[in-house]
Amino acid sequence: LLVADMPFGTYEYKDTDVALRNAYRFVQEAGMDAIKIEGGSKARQETIRAIVQGGVAVMGHAGLTPQAISVLGGFRAQGRTASL
């Protein structure tokens, strides 16, 4: 199973088609089986829903979110409990 980490700037848009097009590129051009996206916001949930409905598997994780260091004020673990 090959999973690609979607880079910062490839999925943080209100237009979820941008994220879906970028996810398709990972599958088609890089041979990935799934993609990973950081964040659990309502907007991110809509993005994930659009990508999954588009036929691309999305893998999530809880913990360190390195792509959000500028927003969070540095490296720190996130999602330490099920309730976020």
Side-chain angles (χ1 to χ4, degrees):
L1 178 69
L2 295 173
V3 180
D5 188 356
M6 295 275 287
F8 181 76
T10 61
Y11 58 89
E12 301 87 353
Y13 302 95
K14 286 185 181 182
D15 181 359
T16 57
D17 285 345
V18 174
L20 182 57
R21 281 193 302 274
N22 288 324
Y24 283 154
R25 287 191 66 197
F26 268 112
V27 172
Q28 295 169 341
E29 297 176 26
M32 295 293 113
D33 299 306
I35 55 99
K36 182 192 78 70
I37 292 178
E38 287 187 3
S41 68
K42 188 83 164 163
R44 197 70 71 239
Q45 292 171 21
E46 295 302 318
T47 300
I48 292 167
R49 182 176 288 112
I51 293 171
V52 170
Q53 287 176 345
V56 178
V58 177
M59 182 175 288
H61 72 90
L64 187 65
T65 54
Q67 293 179 8
I69 60 169
S70 61
V71 175
L72 299 173
F75 286 106
R76 63 181 198 176
Q78 303 293 311
R80 293 183 180 144
T81 67
S83 64
L84 301 173

